[in-house]
Amino acid sequence: QVQLQESGPGLVEPSGTLSLTCGVSGASISNYWSWVRQPPGEGLEWIGQIHHSGSTSYKPSLKSRVTMSVDKSKNHFSLNLSSVTAADTAVYYCVRHGGRSFDLWGRGTLVTVSS
Amino acid sequence: QSALTQPASVSGSPGQAITISCTGTSSDVGNDNDVSWYQQHPGKAPKLMIYAVSNRPSDVSNRFSGSKSGNTASLTISGLQAEDEADYYCSSYTNSISYVFGTGTKVTVL
């Protein structure tokens, strides 16, 4: 049974960097993976994707602040979002691609930006 | 890259059929057959319900169906049940190697 598990700090200070990791268990990291976030009470927002080869594609409006990476030896991939503000407060999900859809989601982790 | 447009809410009585629309542009929904739909219950992660416009994963009820015409995709839930009450989001791959979600629709079973 394939599972995804997000991990990282639940509180980040304004202007700091949000760093999350998604551990993949029960399957190889050989796939496309994305990060999706959801501010409290709001809709879903795609942040970007990474292929196991390391190639990436980011949402244009976030591109200047986003970096994604993959560690095949640890079977996990990561998200860094810099210069965060309160608007970045959200539940962050890591997601597996099934073709051009998202067929497996992690449980999500709430990250709050506050001093 | 604007969010796809969905109605804020749709409601129906048990047993009825409802349809949720998802309107985009020729750069996303109308570009190819890469529209998917997700169900999200409160406090839970989204779940894939439809992929590639009209295909159902094996664990999804056949009461859920999808279609597309031009720049608008639709999700139909037939034989509405209490457990279908949730938020629903569409998503589309775009011609700029990115994805965009819909604004979300709250389905209420009366």
Side-chain angles (χ1 to χ4, degrees):
Chain A
Q1 181 182 359
V2 183
Q3 290 186 322
L4 306 180
Q5 180 65 59
E6 304 89 351
S7 60
L11 182 65
V12 181
E13 291 196 352
S15 77
T17 296
L18 179 160
S19 297
L20 295 174
T21 295
C22 181
V24 180
S25 59
S28 164
I29 196 76
S30 298
N31 207 332
Y32 280 94
W33 310 89
S34 274
W35 289 94
V36 174
R37 69 181 181 180
Q38 185 172 35
E42 298 185 23
L44 301 171
E45 178 184 25
W46 180 77
I47 299 171
Q49 71 176 29
I50 186 164
H51 186 248
H52 68 268
S53 65
S55 67
T56 56
S57 178
Y58 304 137
K59 180 176 181 175
S61 62
L62 297 173
K63 189 174 183 178
S64 63
R65 299 195 291 130
V66 174
T67 304
M68 294 182 184
S69 60
V70 62
D71 188 330
K72 287 183 273 191
S73 67
K74 295 182 179 179
N75 226 45
H76 75 207
F77 59 101
S78 300
L79 166 71
N80 279 354
L81 180 66
S82 63
S83 304
V84 297
T85 69
D88 296 309
T89 293
V91 174
Y92 285 76
Y93 295 99
C94 59
V95 187
R96 183 183 71 180
H97 287 224
R100 288 176 176 166
S101 64
F102 308 116
D103 69 351
L104 181 68
W105 296 64
R107 297 180 69 175
T109 186
L110 175 63
V111 179
T112 301
V113 178
S114 176
S115 55
Chain B
Q1 190 184 44
S2 299
L4 307 176
T5 301
Q6 298 181 231
S9 63
V10 173
S11 62
S13 300
Q16 284 188 330
I18 62 169
T19 297
I20 303 168
S21 61
C22 169
T23 301
T25 69
S26 57
S27 297
D28 38 61
V29 174
N31 183 58
D32 208 331
N33 292 322
D34 292 320
V35 176
S36 51
W37 289 90
Y38 304 86
Q39 176 192 64
Q40 186 179 33
H41 287 110
K44 301 295 187 182
K47 174 187 177 183
L48 176 65
M49 304 301 283
I50 296 288
Y51 65 94
V53 174
S54 59
N55 294 274
R56 259 189 329 273
S58 58
D59 64 338
V60 172
S61 169
N62 59 9
R63 297 185 298 103
F64 291 83
S65 61
S67 62
K68 192 189 83 165
S69 177
N71 296 337
T72 298
S74 298
L75 173 71
T76 298
I77 309 174
S78 57
L80 198 62
Q81 299 180 0
E83 67 205 50
D84 301 331
E85 187 161 293
D87 293 327
Y88 291 82
Y89 294 90
C90 60
S91 176
S92 177
Y93 185 69
T94 80
N95 61 4
S96 57
I97 317 178
S98 63
Y99 292 83
V100 59
F101 281 98
T103 50
T105 298
K106 181 178 180 61
V107 169
T108 301
V109 181
L110 301 172

